[in-house]
Amino acid sequence: AKVAEAASAEATAISQDCQRDLDAALPEYYAAIKSLDALDKKDIQEVKSFAKPPPLVEVVLSAVCLLLGAKETWDDAKKQMNDSKFLDNLKNYDKDALAANPKLTAKLQKYIKREDFVAEKVKAVSAAAMSLCMWVRAMDIYGRVSREIEPKKAKLAAAEEAKAAANEKLAIKQAELQVVLDNVAALESQLATAKAKAEQLERDAEDCVVKLSRAEKLLAGLGNESVRWNAASAVLEKNLKFVIGNIVLAGGFVAYTGAFTSEFRKDLVAKWLENAVSLGLDTDPSWNIADVLVDPAEVRQWNINTLPADDLSVENGIMVTRGRRWPLMIDPQGQANRWVRSMGKEKNIVVTKLSDPIYLRKLEAAIRNGNAMLIENVEEVLDPAIEPVLTKAIFKRGGQKLLRLGTEDIPYHDDFAFYITTKMANPHYLPEVCIKVTIINFTVTLLGLEDQLVAEVIANERPDLAQQRQELVVQIAADKKTQDDLEQLILRLLAEAEGDVLKDDSLNETLDQSKKTGTECEERMKIADTAMAEIDGVRETLRPVATRASILYFVVADLAKIDPMYQWSLEFFVMLFQKRLRESEPNEDTNKRISILIEDFTTFIYLNICRGLFEDHKLLLSFLVTAQVLRNVPHCKFLGKTSVTMTEWLVFLRGAEAGKGVLGDSETSSVPCPRWVTPQSWQKLFVLSRLTEVNGETSFQGLLEDIARGGPWEKFCTSDNMNSEPFPGAWATKLTAFQQMLIVKAQKENLMTLIARNVVAAELGPLFIESPPFDLESCFNDSVCTTPLIFVLSAGADPTEYLLSLASEKGYGDRLHFISLGQGQGPKAEALIKLGWDTGDWVCLQNCHLAASWMGKLEQIQESQDPKKINEEYRLWLTSMPSTLFPVPVLQNGIKITNEPPKGLRANLGRTFQDISEDVFEACPSKPLEFKTLLFGLSFFHAVILERRKFGPIGWNIPYEWMDSDFQVSREQVRMYLVAQPEIPWTTLLYIIAEVNYGGRGTDDKDVRV
């Protein structure tokens, strides 16, 4: 092989050497041929035309003739040029023959060696001759080079022969080698087969070991899971026979119970269960909607998204997510709104209102893109434009789902979700609305609100525990979700396993991961449960504060049933609660701190709410708070008070009617009715005593016998002042204030208001039976630029003077703008409001009840407020008579103020002098004593004529609306006449004040005479 390689290398080197020599000659040859190509007959003809050619041309052509084998004369040259193939002969000249003819080459040298036989010089004489010159020189070079490489060619031929011989020997040796290699390959193949078989046996052995190990792990892992699966299997087997009945009840629950309260839902479910049993429909006796339609992990996620954890809220969440119709949620406290907003973040929820002029455009975009949409604060009438969305009027065209919204067919995305909320506490929707949506009552429950408020207490009192609890709730939810996910993954892997389940280790890995994660989760959950138990202990310790706040809220919320203007939002209430938590007196003793918080917040709420109530309802608020506190058994137990039983409450509400259905119709007292008690009152007392006895209560045991004996009881029962008389004997201490009220009410219901005051004073304190003084400045201090201040008007009340006085004190005398609403005043009012936003001026819109059509626009303006774009000094004042048309959101977020004449001469006089400033009181320095005496007389007169109105026709035949302005004008006239006259003009003052200012309103002759 080496010999062949050396021969080949030598031949290659010689060949390359020859080629290099040829490469040196060929370029000039090719240049000459190219030059010949440039010649044509015309150029040749030009050369032939010379009769006596230039010497250099003649030399060139002589050299050409020499090479062509002609005579070296001009005539022969012409003959050659006359040949039509002259140029072709030159191009095809046998240059190799020239190389082999040394004589001819030697003869040519006489021309080549001439100094002027070069292309540049010949060109100066003739271009055609230059090309011929280049061709002659090229032939000479080629011949010379060809002769030089001839020996090399011979050597190359010898080398090639040596190479061929060597290659022939190499081929023979290679063939012999291949036979040997083939034998070796066959042996190696046999060896590889044997090794592969051995390796396969080893792998099989290892696989058996691995599979055995996997089988052991699988059995152990599935054994760990079997505990949960056996429990789940037992539950499933138990529930299997209840499936149909449970689903029937679940469908009815979702379809029909959404609008009802928690108690009514429970009653309905109980009746449905009874009917199911009577029809032979197997249903779970302990049926619960949450066990049928929702997974606990999903409920935990709802709770994390701010949905309260009470049963009612969970039921509502199920109806929102499982109902086929879009939900319309009755949400006066905003619970559903916050939950939907939080839950809808994943779908880029769009929040809007029907008052938004572009809400339909937003709705269209949400339907196209598959986003969620929430329309909040709707009224009892919905926009007909959204009816296709409510009825889900979806159709297909060209394989695409479409929905017609307005005049357009828009693509319908399956991920689209639609929610509606209303802040109305008790809306009345027409049947055509009810059949298109699922109406769901999200009104907060006492327990649900209590849990929320106790979280606020913890956040203020123990923020560390609040943060820890929040983290633990999320951690526990995540751990339980992880366990559920792993369980589902194991079941899926088992279901999808084909053939040998031991072949893939993923199942074992999942089981290991499940076991490891389960162990970690159990450890974390044990720690978390311990921590939660500690936190829950603290929560339960502080719960009485939240219980009292929750009771107060529901009392305040119920006031809306009395007057449509009595509405406060839960957000407003919670804000007040948080404020008092921060500002109340601190105390290291937990029990004392709880007592301080309860007393402080109860007092604060009473004062804050009372400023928005009419006088007739302030005592009612106090009594309702007292009654609801006493009806809450755990709260009374904490306070150390005797609670009001359900029997006592029913007797209070229904009197003798409370005994119907419990006592026999003919059942009467065995103790005869004494003469100082009427039979009707005796029957009421008997029902009270007997009902409490039937229900195992002993508070009134022996009452009838004691009353029948007479003595102190006769004097007490015949007194016209039973409310202020002490109860006879041991009954004064044995009975609570509420129980004493029941006895007085049974005998003299006309004293109900007075005895109710006694109950409030005894349970809450004397502060709660007095009307808080009118304080407009404190209302202003509690407001911000986005909070409207609403004067709720009554007959004879005019807050204008108070507002002007406050504006003067605050330096807003010239920046307070009034406008009385009515026809055509809406745009002016809107312009004033926007002016106030920019300048910080105050705006007062009077008589809002007269502009019912503009109230929707007012609501829209208030909802569009951006605190960042409004001057902080701006305030909006509104005055309105009680009206159902006043926007609920504005009411709930505003500060309500009532200003009506106080009840009673004392209160009226006190109010009058409270409104008289020091400057006004000392406004007559010339006759100070006379002015102050007349001022008191005028105030007393004003109070008397106002107080007479409450007696109906006995006081005034017509209830005239005298106002504070009448008193203020009369007061100013008294001052003017005293200053202007040396004596007191009694006749003039009597006529002007009695006949003109006050008497001018009188239209009845008997009233005028009075």
Side-chain angles (χ1 to χ4, degrees), residues 360-648:
L360 280 176
R361 201 177 306 164
K362 295 179 179 178
L363 177 58
E364 178 183 339
I367 295 173
R368 287 179 182 273
N369 301 325
N371 297 334
M373 184 165 189
L374 168 64
I375 297 182
E376 56 185 7
N377 300 348
V378 301
E379 300 293 335
E380 292 180 344
V381 179
L382 301 181
D383 190 345
I386 65 173
E387 182 172 344
V389 181
L390 298 180
T391 58
K392 295 187 178 180
I394 304 167
F395 59 94
K396 280 190 176 183
R397 186 167 62 206
Q400 184 181 29
K401 289 184 179 180
L402 298 173
L403 184 141
R404 178 170 286 273
L405 189 64
T407 58
E408 285 189 54
D409 293 338
I410 58 176
Y412 185 88
H413 200 293
D414 289 334
D415 290 338
F416 169 70
F418 192 51
Y419 308 96
I420 307 173
T421 64
T422 177
K423 278 190 171 290
M424 301 177 71
N426 189 25
H428 298 282
Y429 289 104
L430 295 175
E432 51 263 33
V433 174
C434 296
I435 62 174
K436 296 171 187 172
V437 297
T438 299
I439 296 179
I440 305 173
N441 190 352
F442 263 89
T443 303
V444 67
T445 62
L446 181 68
L447 179 60
L449 180 58
E450 192 176 298
D451 286 339
Q452 294 178 56
L453 294 180
V454 78
E456 297 291 343
V457 179
I458 293 290
N460 185 80
E461 302 299 309
R462 294 289 303 274
D464 56 327
L465 289 183
Q467 179 66 25
Q468 184 183 4
R469 185 179 189 278
Q470 185 176 359
E471 293 172 355
L472 287 175
V473 167
V474 175
Q475 175 191 314
I476 292 172
D479 286 344
K480 288 184 176 179
K481 185 176 185 303
T482 301
Q483 287 181 323
D484 293 341
D485 291 344
L486 286 172
E487 181 179 344
Q488 294 300 321
L489 179 58
I490 292 168
L491 293 174
R492 182 175 63 80
L493 290 174
L494 286 173
E496 295 176 353
E498 296 180 358
D500 188 0
V501 295
L502 301 176
K503 186 176 181 181
D504 188 1
D505 201 31
S506 59
L507 183 58
N508 274 322
E509 290 176 355
T510 305
L511 286 170
D512 288 342
Q513 180 65 27
S514 175
K515 184 177 179 181
K516 181 180 178 182
T517 305
T519 304
E520 293 174 354
C521 290
E522 287 177 4
E523 292 176 356
R524 284 199 300 265
M525 289 176 68
K526 286 180 182 177
I527 297 172
D529 288 342
T530 304
M532 287 292 285
E534 178 186 351
I535 295 171
D536 288 341
V538 177
R539 283 169 62 88
E540 293 307 311
T541 302
L542 297 174
R543 183 171 289 275
V545 180
T547 303
R548 173 61 66 89
S550 184
I551 292 171
L552 290 173
Y553 173 75
F554 279 96
V555 170
V556 171
D558 285 341
L559 294 176
K561 301 173 183 176
I562 302 172
D563 192 289
M565 305 298 280
Y566 294 167
Q567 301 205 46
W568 287 266
S569 67
L570 181 58
E571 292 89 344
F572 177 77
F573 185 84
V574 172
M575 179 190 69
L576 297 180
F577 186 59
Q578 293 170 336
K579 180 179 180 181
R580 296 321 304 163
L581 288 175
R582 293 191 301 269
E583 298 178 2
S584 57
E585 177 188 347
N587 197 299
E588 295 298 326
D589 188 309
T590 303
N591 290 329
K592 289 183 180 179
R593 173 64 175 162
I594 292 172
S595 299
I596 289 171
L597 287 173
I598 290 175
E599 182 179 352
D600 178 87
F601 188 62
T602 305
T603 303
F604 178 76
I605 283 295
Y606 173 73
L607 298 176
N608 198 288
I609 299 301
C610 270
R611 67 189 182 191
L613 301 181
F614 293 121
E615 289 295 324
D616 290 341
H617 303 142
K618 291 178 181 177
L619 179 60
L620 178 60
L621 170 66
S622 300
F623 181 74
L624 286 174
V625 170
T626 304
Q628 296 305 324
V629 167
L630 293 176
R631 290 184 64 200
N632 192 298
V633 177
H635 196 56
C636 282
K637 185 177 180 181
F638 170 79
L639 296 174
K641 296 180 180 289
T642 302
S643 63
V644 174
T645 65
M646 181 56 68
T647 305
E648 293 170 352

Side-chain angles (χ1 to χ4, degrees), residues 104 197 424 442 522 535 614 718 758 782 800 835 855 993:
L104 182 58
K197 188 175 182 179
M424 301 177 71
F442 263 89
E522 287 177 4
I535 295 171
F614 293 121
T718 56
N758 294 347
D782 289 343
T800 306
L835 174 67
M855 288 297 96
I993 294 173

Side-chain angles (χ1 to χ4, degrees), residues 67-263:
L67 291 175
L68 292 177
K71 293 182 179 180
E72 302 172 34
T73 63
W74 175 248
D75 291 335
D76 286 319
K78 281 185 177 182
K79 290 177 183 178
Q80 291 294 331
M81 285 188 289
N82 285 333
D83 189 351
S84 60
K85 296 182 178 180
F86 175 67
L87 293 176
D88 292 335
N89 293 335
L90 295 180
K91 293 176 184 177
N92 299 326
Y93 186 77
D94 187 2
K95 51 188 177 295
D96 292 326
L98 175 63
N101 192 347
K103 291 183 178 180
L104 182 58
T105 303
K107 289 181 180 180
L108 185 60
Q109 295 306 310
K110 63 181 178 181
Y111 298 107
I112 296 301
K113 292 180 179 179
R114 287 177 60 104
E115 293 181 0
D116 55 355
F117 195 78
V118 291
E120 291 77 8
K121 292 183 179 181
V122 175
K123 183 179 179 181
V125 178
S126 170
M130 177 201 69
S131 298
L132 296 175
C133 176
M134 290 174 61
W135 178 78
V136 171
R137 294 191 67 87
M139 293 300 105
D140 177 63
I141 292 172
Y142 185 84
R144 177 165 38 83
V145 170
S146 183
R147 281 194 302 276
E148 290 176 356
I149 65 174
E150 192 63 31
K152 294 179 181 179
K153 285 182 178 181
K155 189 175 181 181
L156 176 61
E160 290 287 348
E161 289 178 3
K163 176 182 176 182
N167 284 337
E168 184 178 355
K169 292 180 180 180
L170 177 62
I172 294 171
K173 297 298 183 183
Q174 285 177 339
E176 295 173 352
L177 176 62
Q178 187 61 43
V179 173
V180 175
L181 292 176
D182 290 343
N183 292 333
V184 172
L187 294 174
E188 288 178 346
S189 175
Q190 293 175 4
L191 177 61
T193 302
K195 286 183 177 180
K197 188 175 182 179
E199 290 174 357
Q200 182 62 41
L201 291 173
E202 290 178 1
R203 282 195 297 270
D204 290 344
E206 291 175 0
D207 192 33
C208 287
V209 174
V210 170
K211 285 184 177 181
L212 182 60
S213 174
R214 288 176 182 172
E216 292 174 353
K217 291 181 179 179
L218 184 61
L219 290 174
L222 292 176
N224 292 331
E225 296 295 328
S226 67
V227 177
R228 282 189 297 167
W229 291 351
N230 285 335
S233 177
V235 173
L236 290 174
E237 287 179 5
K238 175 187 173 184
N239 292 337
L240 187 59
K241 62 179 180 178
F242 298 141
V243 168
I244 297 177
N246 287 351
I247 293 300
V248 170
L249 259 66
F253 192 91
V254 172
Y256 299 114
T257 66
F260 302 127
T261 62
S262 178
E263 292 77 11

